[in-house]
Amino acid sequence: MAKIPMTTPIVEMDGDEMTRIIWKMIKDELLMPFVDLKTEYYDLGLPHRDETDDQVTHDAAAAAKKYGVAVKCATITPNAQRVEEYSLKRMYPSPNATIRAAMDGTVFRAPIIMDGIEPLVPRWKAPITVARHAYGDIYKGVEFRVPGPGTVTMTMKTDDGEETLMVHEYKGEGIALSMHNTKKSIESFAKACFEYALSTKQDLWFGAKDTILKVYDGEFRAIFEAIFEADYKDRFDEAGIRYEYTLIDDAVARVMRSQGGFIWACKNYDGDVMSDMIATAFGSLAMMTSVLVSPDGKYEYEAAHGTVTRHYYRYLKGEQTSTNPVATIFAWTGALKKRGELDGNAELAAFGQKLEDATMATLASGKMTGDLAASCVKEEKTVLNTADFIAAVRNTLESM
Ligand code: NAP
Ligand code: MG
């Protein structure tokens, strides 16, 4: 059978540990036999990041911006223990943070829903996608301890002058925090959310606390509304989808009562916290996909989980592990579908969809990895190791 041709390469970012092993298995078994795979390869594995002084991460991010579609394997974010384990020159920053900063993007996380694994919230029938603003607020906060009685103020200096606000007059010890965001970043966040809602044809909800933070959260709300009215209202109407702002507490309540099937835009902290709740409630971190979308429509796909270190150490001892490759397969299919769409390569996009369908059909037939079997209510299930599961997906794919 002739392989499906590609025109523009996908930016391929390889990674670490167990996911690096799975990465190769997926390429060898599920992609290269079917697609004349064109990638621009960047090795973000920790040893190579160290060799290049992390330049490779910056180069990979630049390539993602150039070509518009990237797929990334999970990578180690070094801590002190990793610096020792890999004899690193220094403690490099998280590659995801580097790539996010370069792409100025918003992270969308969506669960893959399978038959037999019931969400912990029984009403949820369709995936809930959390869109997390990935810049500023407490993550760029400045905080300090107030040692005793005193005054904390906040001063803004501009070309027009100076303004000082009283934060608090302390009678004793305390703490204080200042945080910021920028109009540019909030605009990017809003655009990325509207674009993603359109491209996936789902409603968009945005929740914040503008009753309390009238200026701060009020600005988020106003920017979303202005961009929606100016650029997206008609397109949303055409697509038959809706944008709605609601208070964050109301959003939480409505999410619980909903049936799913929408995008939930969250400020940075809300998104950090809520995406873990959504992932857990839908069943498994190993079934969560993540895509970073820039405001000018560049996409980077990955699995939401890490490098599955504990399985890797077992693999190094020669054991077979039952590590779940589904989210990593879906990172690839997301990239193939998007590349196909952007290049007008219908065959490539269709293959991406077919591989997703084959993966879901394999799971539906009861073949799965151990993590899923543990929470799957199906009567008949077969626990497979990673290689056998991937082989089963290939069988399904070839029979379709
Ligand atoms: P992790 O790799 O996601 O694994 C945590 C645990 O979750 C695993 O030990 C495993 O549980 C289970 N798990 C996760 N993915 C699985 C899969 N595909 N199949 C089966 N089980 C799965 O998180 P971590 O242990 O906190 O982090 C490991 C490394 O990954 C760290 O160096 C961290 O920096 C990095 N990390 C990278 C990214 C990224 O690149 N996006 C994200 C998060 C973490 P059991 O061991 O109980 O089976
Ligand atoms: Mg978190």
Side-chain angles (χ1 to χ4, degrees):
M1 207 179 70
K3 292 189 191 183
I4 298 165
M6 286 179 63
T7 42
T8 318
I10 288 173
V11 177
E12 175 187 353
M13 306 178 186
D14 207 345
D16 289 299
E17 300 193 315
M18 202 59 216
T19 39
R20 188 180 179 98
I21 308 298
I22 292 176
W23 193 258
K24 185 168 184 316
M25 290 181 183
I26 292 172
K27 282 178 68 181
D28 288 348
E29 288 296 314
L30 301 178
L31 302 176
M32 299 210 298
F34 308 97
V35 178
D36 195 8
L37 196 65
K38 260 195 189 169
T39 70
E40 193 162 293
Y41 180 85
Y42 293 87
D43 183 0
L44 301 197
L46 191 49
H48 192 240
R49 272 183 276 153
D50 195 39
E51 273 162 39
T52 62
D53 270 316
D54 209 25
Q55 185 58 39
V56 65
T57 309
H58 295 273
D59 293 347
K65 286 169 73 172
K66 177 178 168 195
Y67 289 108
V69 181
V71 57
K72 181 181 168 292
C73 179
T75 47
I76 293 168
T77 297
N79 53 17
Q81 181 257 320
R82 298 294 200 168
V83 170
E84 200 182 302
E85 181 184 353
Y86 283 81
S87 308
L88 300 179
K89 287 184 265 183
R90 62 188 172 92
M91 203 186 292
Y92 301 98
S94 148
N96 288 56
T98 302
I99 296 163
R100 263 203 308 265
M103 288 177 67
D104 183 19
T106 299
V107 176
F108 296 85
R109 282 188 162 193
I112 301 161
I113 294 191
M114 71 175 265
D115 209 29
I117 296 201
E118 303 297 332
L120 299 180
V121 180
R123 276 167 178 264
W124 291 355
K125 299 293 176 229
I128 296 169
T129 302
V130 173
R132 174 182 169 188
H133 184 209
Y135 177 81
D137 299 353
I138 60 166
Y139 303 86
K140 293 271 179 196
V142 181
E143 52 176 353
F144 50 81
R145 199 178 287 283
V146 179
T151 308
V152 173
T153 61
M154 205 160 55
T155 302
M156 169 176 65
K157 289 181 185 159
T158 66
D159 292 346
D160 297 332
E162 202 175 294
E163 192 187 336
T164 296
L165 289 181
M166 170 65 70
V167 174
H168 192 70
E169 282 179 43
Y170 290 80
K171 305 238 177 331
E173 287 178 36
I175 43 181
L177 158 76
S178 162
M179 65 182 198
H180 82 279
N181 225 300
T182 68
K183 188 168 184 192
K184 180 166 174 279
S185 176
I186 301 166
E187 284 173 349
S188 293
F189 172 43
K191 280 183 205 159
C193 290
F194 291 130
E195 288 292 334
Y196 194 76
L198 276 174
S199 85
T200 59
K201 295 218 169 23
Q202 296 182 85
D203 288 350
L204 177 67
W205 300 9
F206 177 42
K209 194 74 180 178
D210 66 315
T211 44
I212 300 296
L213 293 174
K214 291 183 167 55
V215 173
Y216 201 102
D217 283 17
E219 184 73 354
F220 274 82
R221 178 181 181 170
I223 287 173
F224 265 72
E225 244 152 48
I227 292 178
F228 179 68
E229 290 297 328
D231 299 329
Y232 290 97
K233 194 170 188 315
D234 295 345
R235 290 161 71 195
F236 267 52
D237 285 346
E238 264 167 48
I241 57 175
R242 297 198 311 154
Y243 164 64
E244 214 177 321
Y245 173 83
T246 181
L247 281 175
I248 182 72
D249 1 17
D250 181 48
V252 168
R254 286 169 54 179
V255 164
M256 299 309 287
R257 288 198 304 266
S258 78
Q259 301 201 335
F262 56 89
I263 298 159
W264 183 12
C266 290
K267 290 177 62 203
N268 211 344
Y269 175 78
D270 298 337
D272 184 352
V273 176
M274 292 305 169
S275 62
D276 282 20
M277 183 192 75
I278 298 280
T280 306
F282 271 109
S284 166
L285 191 58
M287 294 290 274
M288 196 78 170
T289 61
S290 180
V291 53
L292 173 67
V293 183
S294 74
D296 55 345
K298 317 282 190 204
Y299 295 76
E300 183 241 330
Y301 295 85
E302 62 178 317
H305 59 77
T307 59
V308 212
T309 310
R310 291 208 305 186
H311 293 214
Y312 182 59
Y313 292 153
R314 296 214 307 269
Y315 167 87
L316 287 181
K317 283 194 227 147
E319 286 176 40
Q320 288 280 3
T321 72
S322 185
T323 317
N324 187 340
V326 170
T328 307
I329 295 174
F330 272 61
W332 273 102
T333 57
L336 292 170
K337 290 199 292 184
K338 183 54 75 177
R339 190 70 271 166
E341 178 194 322
L342 295 177
D343 290 353
N345 186 342
E347 223 188 335
L348 187 66
F351 174 77
Q353 186 57 52
K354 195 170 155 188
L355 178 51
E356 278 181 18
D357 294 345
T359 306
M360 296 316 292
T362 306
L363 292 171
S365 76
K367 295 182 179 133
M368 61 191 76
T369 47
D371 57 313
L372 294 179
S375 55
C376 180
V377 298
K378 271 179 185 300
E379 292 276 304
E380 285 185 25
K381 45 192 178 185
T382 315
V383 178
L384 298 178
N385 66 42
T386 308
D388 289 346
F389 178 76
I390 289 176
V393 172
R394 180 169 176 171
N395 268 335
T396 315
L397 184 64
E398 282 173 331
S399 71
M400 281 166 77

